[in-house]
Amino acid sequence: MTDVLLAPLAQRRAEGIAALHGAIARRRAMVLLAGSLGLVASLVLDVATGPAFLSPADVVRSLAGMAVERSVDAIVWSIRLPVAFVALVVGAALGLSGAIMQTILNNPLASSYTLGVSAGAGFGAALVIVIGVALPVPEAYAVPVMAFLFAALACAGVYAIGQTRDASPEMLVLGGIALLFLFQALLSLLQFVASPEALQQIVFWLFGSLQKATWGKLAIILLVLVACVPCLMRDAWRLTALKLGDERARGLGVDVRRLRLRCFALVSALTGVAVAFVGTIGFVGLVAPHVARMLMGEDQRSFLPASALFGALLLSLASIASKTVLPGAVVPIGIVTSLVGVPFFVWLTVSCRRAFW
C-alpha cells in the first residue's frame, strides 16, 4: 500500500528533475548560440575596422566572393582577415587554458598569465631577440619556438614544485607565483643588458600585437587548438569531478595526479602557441572562464567550450578597440586587454576573498 502511494510522488519528482535539466540545457544552448552570433558580428566588425574603414556590408560581400572593388578584396583577405581570425583562435586558446588552470587548481585567480606560463614564454622570446645574431636559426622561427619551449618549461616547473606535496592545488599555485616572479626578474635582466634596438623589439613583443598575423601562423595555432580540444572534452567528466575536491574525485575513480599532468601539458601547448606568435596578452585567460562560469555553471562539457567562445569574443572585441581608441594608430592589444582585466581582477580578489582565502 505504501509503495502504491509513493509511486506517483517519485514519478513527479523524476519528471521535475528532468524538466529542470531540460531547462538548464536549453539555457546553455541559448547562451552558446548568442555568443556565437556575437562572435560572427565581432569578426565582421573587426575586419571592417582600420585606417580605411569598410562598411560591414562590403566585408560580407567580400567574404562571399561578391566584392565590387578589388581593393576591398585585397584589404579584407590579405591584411585584415588573418588578423581577425588569429584574434579568435588566440582568444579561444587563452580562454581554454585559463579554464583548465582554474579547474585543476580550484582557484578563481589562476590562469596561464598569473601563474608564470606567459612570463616564461615572454622570457624565451626575449632571450632569442637579445642573442639572436648568435643563433643558426632565423629569428622569425626561433622566437616562437623558444617562447613555446619556455612556456612548457614553466608548466613543468609549476608541476615539479607541486610534486613536493603530492601536487596539491595550494602548492601548485605557490609554485606558479614563484616562477612568475623568477621569469619577470630574468626578463628585466635581459632588458637591462639589451641593446637599444633589441630592447625596443622586446618591449613591442611584450605588449602583444596581432598585426604580424599571417595565414601560416593562423594554421599552426588552429592546428594545436583543434588537437587539444578533443583531449580536453574526453576528460570533461573527470574535470567536473575534480571540482568536488581531490578526495571526492579519487573516490569516484579519477586519477587526480595523472589528470593534472595531462592538463598541464595541454595548457603549455595552448599558451605557448598563442604567446609565441602574438606576444604576451594578459587577463583573457582570467576573465573569459569567469564569464563562462557565471553563465554556464561548472559542468565542464559546456564550461570549456563557453570559455573558448568568450575568450575568442573578448580578444576580438579588444582587437576592435585597439584600432579605434587612438585614431590613426593601433594600440598594442595587450594594453587593451590589461585595461579590461585589471579592474575585473581587483573586483574578483575583493569579492572572492572570504570564499577562497
Side-chain angles (χ1 to χ4, degrees):
M1 184 65 177
T2 304
D3 294 340
V4 174
L5 293 175
L6 292 179
L9 179 61
Q11 183 178 358
R12 287 196 298 270
R13 182 177 298 175
E15 291 174 353
I17 293 174
L20 178 61
H21 280 288
I24 293 174
R26 286 192 296 272
R27 185 175 68 84
R28 288 173 175 171
M30 291 300 296
V31 170
L32 290 176
L33 178 60
S36 300
L37 294 176
L39 194 64
V40 173
S42 179
L43 173 66
V44 173
L45 189 58
D46 191 12
V47 175
T49 306
F53 184 80
L54 303 175
S55 70
D58 287 338
V59 173
V60 172
R61 280 194 292 267
S62 178
L63 294 177
M66 298 184 296
V68 178
E69 300 179 10
R70 290 186 177 180
S71 59
V72 173
D73 268 344
I75 293 173
V76 170
W77 288 93
S78 300
I79 301 174
R80 296 187 185 175
L81 201 57
V83 173
F85 275 131
V86 166
L88 297 186
V89 294
V90 167
L94 293 177
L96 200 55
S97 65
I100 303 166
M101 294 285 275
Q102 290 175 14
T103 297
I104 63 176
L105 300 180
N106 197 24
N107 191 305
L109 306 181
S111 73
S112 56
Y113 185 80
T114 57
L115 294 185
V117 182
S118 294
F123 172 73
L127 187 64
V128 172
I129 293 172
V130 172
I131 64 172
V133 292
L135 295 175
V137 182
E139 186 176 302
Y141 299 100
V143 168
V145 169
M146 288 294 284
F148 186 90
L149 291 178
F150 272 86
L153 180 63
C155 274
V158 172
Y159 188 79
I161 292 173
Q163 286 297 300
T164 57
R165 290 190 183 179
D166 197 23
S168 66
E170 294 81 7
M171 285 300 297
L172 289 168
V173 171
L174 292 175
I177 293 173
L179 286 176
L180 171 64
F181 284 104
L182 172 63
F183 281 120
Q184 285 182 340
L186 292 174
L187 184 57
S188 297
L189 179 62
L190 282 180
Q191 291 175 305
F192 180 74
V193 301
S195 64
E197 295 79 9
L199 179 60
Q200 185 177 12
Q201 285 183 275
I202 292 173
V203 171
F204 182 78
W205 195 89
L206 292 176
F207 280 160
S209 176
L210 299 171
Q211 299 309 307
K212 293 185 179 180
T214 63
W215 290 109
K217 294 177 181 178
L218 172 65
I220 295 174
I221 302 171
L222 185 61
L223 181 63
V224 173
L225 182 62
V226 170
C228 289
V229 167
C231 299
L232 283 173
M233 296 311 296
R234 186 182 59 187
D235 283 330
W237 179 86
R238 297 180 183 89
L239 290 169
T240 303
L242 189 62
K243 288 295 294 182
L244 301 174
D246 286 14
E247 294 302 323
R248 290 186 179 181
R250 291 190 183 98
L252 292 171
V254 178
D255 188 335
V256 174
R257 189 172 183 177
R258 188 168 296 179
L259 176 62
R260 282 205 176 100
L261 183 60
R262 286 199 302 270
C263 288
F264 268 114
L266 294 173
V267 166
S268 67
L270 290 169
T271 305
V273 76
V275 175
F277 291 112
V278 302
T280 304
I281 296 177
F283 292 103
V284 174
L286 177 67
V287 175
H290 281 287
V291 175
R293 183 175 288 106
M294 287 186 290
L295 295 174
M296 307 295 282
E298 293 288 358
D299 189 339
Q300 302 290 311
R301 294 173 297 178
S302 55
F303 171 63
L304 292 176
S307 297
L309 175 64
F310 289 119
L313 180 58
L314 178 61
L315 198 57
S316 182
L317 293 174
S319 177
I320 297 170
S322 70
K323 293 182 283 188
T324 56
V325 171
L326 294 178
V330 179
V331 178
I333 197 167
I335 296 177
V336 177
T337 56
S338 295
L339 289 175
V340 174
V342 167
F344 188 87
F345 188 86
V346 173
W347 170 81
L348 188 66
T349 303
V350 173
S351 64
C352 296
R353 178 175 55 188
R354 292 183 181 178
F356 294 96
W357 292 2

